[in-house]
Amino acid sequence: MTPYTNMIIIPSLIMGPLLTISSNHWILAWTGLEISTLAVIPLMAQQHHPRAIEAAIKYFLIQAAASTLILFSSITNAWTLGQWDIMQMSNTVSCTILTTALAIKLGLAPFHFWLPEVLQGTTTMMAMILTTWQKLAPLSLLVMTAQSLNTPLLLMLGLTSTIIGGWGGLNQTQLRKIMAFSSIAHLGWMITILTLSIKLMLITFYIYIIMTMTMFTMMKLLETNKISTTMMSWTKLPTMNTMMMLTLMSLAGLPPLTGFMPKWLILQELTKQNMIIIATMLALSSLLSLFFYLRISYYSTITLPPNPINFSKQWRHKINQKPYLAMLTTLSITLMPITPALMTTT
Amino acid sequence: MALSFKLLHSVFLSSRSHRQNALHPLLGPLLTDCISKLYSSYRRPGTSPDNTPPWKMNFSFEKGVDGIKKHFGLLKKELVNHWIGPEGYRLDEYMLEQTRVVWEFRSQKDLDEWVVSSDAEIGGKSEAYLKLGKNNQTALLYGTLNTEAPRDGETRYSGYCSMRAKLPKGAFETKKYYDWSNFNSLYLRIRGDGRPWMINVFTDPFFSHQKNDLYNYFMFTRGGPYWQEIKIPFSKFFLSSQGRIQDNQYPLWLDKIRTVGFTLGDKADGPFQLEIDFIGLLNDRAHTEEFAYEKYERNPKV
């Protein structure tokens, strides 16, 4: 896109969620959500491919509908209570509608159907922005209203999301769709622990962002979008191939990698609150997610492909470096021993 | 076959179901004489619009029960297939396969998966039929092309016939797509009569604004008594919408394909024949082209 359009769109994209996070009034929060939605739409449809346009339209419709519901719930709250403060949302109907609307925005099950299709239709980098930066605003609204939200509803949403995130990703071969289901599952874990411990939810979110950004950056460097083209990654960047396997295991939540930390702490918190069945079901459903992460790492790192893939796009034409990848990879693999330090930061 | 063509003709003429599309997923098993026109019904040029009210339906209880059994069976099969792997194949088979036969013609049931149509739908005089070839090994699409345009005041050109695979449907009439992302060419074994055909790949996008988008490419038949094996890479397919080739071309994405069809419209009156052995997919390791046309915008708006 031309520099002029980039100058408008990228600051809007940055400013939208920041506006939502820093607001006390519902209207300003809604404005931030709308700004971020509108800014991301032209970025998604940059190439005008029919599927990219389809993804952009789907994303816009879903997000606009969810924003409408958020506005509706805040207006109902203001009508019954007379004030627009986000932190003091106490009308139960408003809270339920708000939870549903934010679930739609985040892509939690059972409102997750748009996420795999939208991520599949866009480019790799835009998919990364959609799964990381665009989750910031709705999650911050959830954090701000957490004390008045309905815990059983959130637990149900979270549990359904982890199960569907695991089940749906089982036989996907397109990497962006796999990352969509991984996003659904991780958000499920976050939502489950929201009312019980906001600090844990924020830790989970930050670690999820780090791991997802690592994964998408690796996908961009390898220029791969399917598992079958990931099979050739050992010829391109062998070290990164190993790191990708470790990142995937971290996403799956295997100790002693970073991704285990939020899962462990969440299960510990749920057990303390005597929600054993939910904790068990969450742990079991993360096995389904583990299966598809393991499958990607099996085809990329552990086995050799039977024959080469000779699209010229798969060759290395130029040195394609992302300098932040090393830092992200280190963070997404080795952060577990300093868990106590992280617990004090948030 | 003649029967399938006549059936199409009669169902088209008697279809009153254009308004029932929203209800169709729910009432589908109960409706008898209803083909699912997904987006809008087709009005034959020169005829008056169809104003039957939407509540005139034909109910049938036995067909309803059969339909419910069939759809729940399909749902169970889909869930089991989801557990096995992508599209029902195990993942290692799916990753390693280099060829796959998608459509074969060995029985009448295989022929029923295809829909044959010609310009008789708009009032023209071409005819097209589909039948099984010798020893039930092939399918023969034959007929006569007639470029005389129908005299209805609207149509200017005529003279085409086409064969298209029926849209695959999952449980409860949901859209089912093929995932051909492991392959990069279409592989056809046919025996034609020298006429140039056009192959259309329909990706059935979500929104109806793009419902006329097709990816086309040509298939030139040799006409001899020998079989012809044609390999068409998917990178060669160009995008067209409602028959008009688009200026901005985009590559065909293979992860969501719905049907493939053949069209003949070469403005030559007379009989035609096309014998098809099978239609398959190939992962051609020697083909390295990503996309055959320029991807940049050819008439940029400054």
Side-chain angles (χ1 to χ4, degrees):
Chain A
M1 289 207 298
T2 60
Y4 301 114
T5 44
N6 271 341
M7 255 167 45
I8 299 177
I9 289 179
I10 292 184
S12 304
L13 179 61
I14 296 174
M15 202 191 71
L18 291 182
L19 196 59
T20 308
I21 294 170
S22 56
S23 65
N24 279 324
H25 196 287
W26 269 116
I27 298 285
L28 198 60
W30 172 81
T31 311
L33 288 171
E34 290 290 290
I35 290 175
S36 79
T37 307
L38 290 174
V40 104
I41 298 296
L43 285 176
M44 281 171 66
Q46 259 175 350
Q47 224 221 350
H48 294 294
H49 190 283
R51 289 284 292 280
I53 298 205
E54 190 183 300
I57 297 177
K58 276 184 190 164
Y59 183 74
F60 171 69
L61 289 174
I62 298 281
Q63 300 285 311
S67 290
T68 313
L69 282 174
I70 291 175
L71 195 60
F72 176 62
S73 78
S74 61
I75 289 175
T76 315
N77 187 53
W79 179 44
T80 51
L81 295 170
Q83 45 84 19
W84 291 88
D85 200 345
I86 296 182
M87 308 282 255
Q88 293 175 28
M89 184 147 191
S90 28
N91 189 359
T92 39
V93 172
S94 296
C95 286
T96 315
I97 297 177
L98 175 72
T99 315
T100 320
L102 290 170
I104 297 175
K105 258 203 187 293
L106 288 168
L108 290 171
F111 311 108
H112 66 284
F113 294 100
W114 58 275
L115 194 59
E117 301 286 317
V118 165
L119 284 191
Q120 175 68 10
T122 53
T123 54
T124 315
M125 283 287 124
M126 277 319 298
M128 179 172 95
I129 293 181
L130 283 175
T131 46
T132 52
W133 185 251
Q134 296 292 92
K135 307 278 184 235
L136 201 56
L139 280 172
S140 69
L141 284 177
L142 279 172
V143 160
M144 287 196 264
T145 55
Q147 73 264 21
S148 29
L149 292 178
N150 188 2
T151 306
L153 175 64
L154 288 171
L155 286 174
M156 272 304 110
L157 283 173
L159 197 56
T160 326
S161 302
T162 43
I163 294 177
I164 289 188
W167 176 257
L170 270 186
N171 63 1
Q172 302 293 340
T173 49
Q174 303 284 332
L175 281 178
R176 284 166 296 180
K177 278 194 177 172
I178 289 181
M179 293 311 292
F181 285 106
S182 126
S183 160
I184 296 170
H186 280 275
L187 279 168
W189 280 86
M190 285 180 229
I191 288 296
T192 313
I193 204 67
L194 176 67
T195 39
L196 304 174
S197 164
I198 296 183
K199 183 194 286 200
L200 278 183
M201 185 232 152
L202 287 172
I203 291 180
T204 317
F205 181 51
Y206 301 147
I207 291 178
Y208 158 73
I209 286 189
I210 294 173
M211 295 190 295
T212 312
M213 280 180 69
T214 317
M215 195 57 212
F216 273 109
T217 316
M218 287 178 176
M219 277 164 59
K220 175 77 182 164
L221 273 178
L222 294 171
E223 291 183 354
T224 165
N225 277 323
K226 305 185 281 218
I227 300 186
S228 52
T229 42
T230 321
M231 288 208 267
M232 290 310 293
S233 54
W234 67 275
T235 57
K236 290 186 230 178
L237 294 158
T239 321
M240 203 185 85
N241 202 20
T242 322
M243 292 298 121
M244 188 159 86
M245 184 182 94
L246 290 174
T247 311
L248 284 163
M249 295 298 103
S250 180
L251 268 170
L254 288 182
L257 306 169
T258 311
F260 176 62
M261 180 213 317
K263 292 201 160 87
W264 167 34
L265 295 169
I266 290 177
L267 288 174
Q268 187 178 13
E269 185 65 36
L270 285 172
T271 321
K272 273 193 223 162
Q273 304 269 352
N274 247 342
M275 296 182 183
I276 316 257
I277 299 180
I278 294 183
T280 317
M281 288 176 71
L282 275 177
L284 287 176
S285 58
S286 73
L287 282 176
L288 290 170
S289 310
L290 168 66
F291 180 60
F292 58 78
Y293 295 126
L294 202 52
R295 182 184 261 180
I296 305 176
S297 53
Y298 178 74
Y299 281 103
S300 71
T301 312
I302 303 181
T303 53
L304 284 179
N307 32 38
I309 293 163
N310 37 12
F311 285 128
S312 67
K313 199 174 168 196
Q314 297 297 310
W315 303 339
R316 290 172 68 194
H317 290 286
K318 56 180 195 257
I319 310 285
N320 206 355
Q321 276 179 354
K322 302 264 183 257
Y324 48 85
L325 179 61
M327 182 187 74
L328 281 175
T329 317
T330 317
L331 286 177
S332 66
I333 293 176
T334 55
L335 223 46
M336 192 151 109
I338 58 166
T339 307
L342 288 173
M343 295 287 286
T344 58
T345 52
T346 54
Chain B
M1 218 173 130
L3 195 57
S4 66
F5 168 70
K6 281 208 180 93
L7 179 66
L8 260 183
H9 200 62
S10 64
V11 171
F12 160 72
L13 284 179
S14 67
S15 72
R16 304 279 180 249
S17 50
H18 59 282
R19 297 255 222 113
Q20 290 148 10
N21 295 318
L23 304 174
H24 186 273
L26 300 171
L27 296 175
L30 293 178
L31 301 172
T32 52
D33 202 6
C34 177
I35 60 177
S36 64
K37 288 196 169 210
L38 290 174
Y39 303 110
S40 63
S41 65
Y42 171 71
R43 180 189 71 87
R44 183 167 145 175
T47 55
S48 55
D50 184 20
N51 284 329
T52 52
W55 56 80
K56 283 208 161 53
M57 294 184 256
N58 302 327
F59 281 98
S60 159
F61 192 69
E62 294 90 11
K63 285 216 171 141
V65 168
D66 282 339
I68 288 175
K69 273 197 237 167
K70 175 178 119 181
H71 286 301
F72 274 105
L74 280 176
L75 183 65
K76 179 176 148 232
K77 200 162 80 130
E78 265 177 38
L79 289 173
V80 167
N81 280 347
H82 185 92
W83 191 251
I84 298 176
E87 298 195 331
Y89 300 95
R90 283 188 15 234
L91 187 71
D92 46 355
E93 275 174 34
Y94 177 86
M95 286 291 179
L96 293 174
E97 66 181 345
Q98 300 186 27
T99 56
R100 188 198 287 185
V101 173
V102 190
W103 286 289
E104 257 185 339
F105 301 94
R106 302 284 185 259
S107 65
Q108 183 60 35
K109 199 164 73 74
D110 295 325
L111 283 189
D112 288 339
E113 284 178 30
W114 291 79
V115 171
V116 175
S117 66
S118 68
D119 67 358
E121 290 192 4
I122 57 168
K125 296 201 173 71
S126 314
E127 295 165 347
Y129 309 101
L130 183 67
K131 70 172 186 190
L132 279 172
K134 277 190 189 163
N135 287 330
N136 285 1
Q137 291 292 315
T138 59
L140 182 65
L141 177 67
Y142 65 100
T144 317
L145 223 57
N146 191 334
T147 53
E148 191 184 324
R151 295 165 66 92
D152 55 12
E154 282 183 40
T155 322
R156 286 191 290 171
Y157 309 105
S158 181
Y160 65 87
C161 89
S162 79
M163 179 168 103
R164 196 195 216 197
K166 279 195 182 140
L167 301 170
K169 295 222 176 90
F172 299 101
E173 310 280 333
T174 47
K175 287 187 190 178
K176 207 162 72 148
Y177 293 90
Y178 294 113
D179 178 11
W180 292 347
S181 45
N182 270 342
F183 304 100
N184 63 4
S185 327
L186 199 59
Y187 189 95
L188 305 142
R189 186 160 194 262
I190 52 160
R191 194 158 50 176
D193 54 353
R195 290 214 195 213
W197 289 75
M198 187 175 254
I199 301 190
N200 320 316
V201 174
F202 180 48
T203 52
D204 202 354
F206 186 81
F207 294 106
S208 61
H209 308 86
Q210 300 164 344
K211 71 177 187 288
N212 297 314
D213 279 4
L214 278 182
Y215 289 87
N216 309 319
Y217 200 65
F218 315 104
M219 176 173 83
F220 297 102
T221 52
R222 244 188 266 128
Y226 300 110
W227 283 97
Q228 193 179 354
E229 285 168 8
I230 300 182
K231 284 192 281 211
I232 305 179
F234 286 116
S235 62
K236 300 276 188 206
F237 280 82
F238 55 87
L239 176 64
S240 72
S241 175
Q242 217 170 358
R244 294 165 209 274
I245 304 179
Q246 301 297 299
D247 276 339
N248 302 322
Q249 285 295 325
Y250 305 105
L252 167 62
W253 280 25
L254 293 157
D255 58 340
K256 261 172 103 172
I257 289 192
R258 205 114 193 259
T259 49
V260 160
F262 302 93
T263 309
L264 178 66
D266 60 348
K267 301 188 245 195
D269 285 351
F272 67 87
Q273 267 193 357
L274 180 73
E275 201 175 345
I276 311 176
D277 186 5
F278 65 83
I279 298 169
L281 301 164
L282 172 70
N283 189 356
D284 192 358
R285 300 285 172 190
H287 181 78
T288 55
E289 190 183 41
E290 292 280 321
F291 185 52
Y293 313 105
E294 303 140 331
K295 282 205 259 199
Y296 47 83
E297 205 176 312
R298 299 212 358 261
N299 298 317
K301 304 176 198 37
V302 255

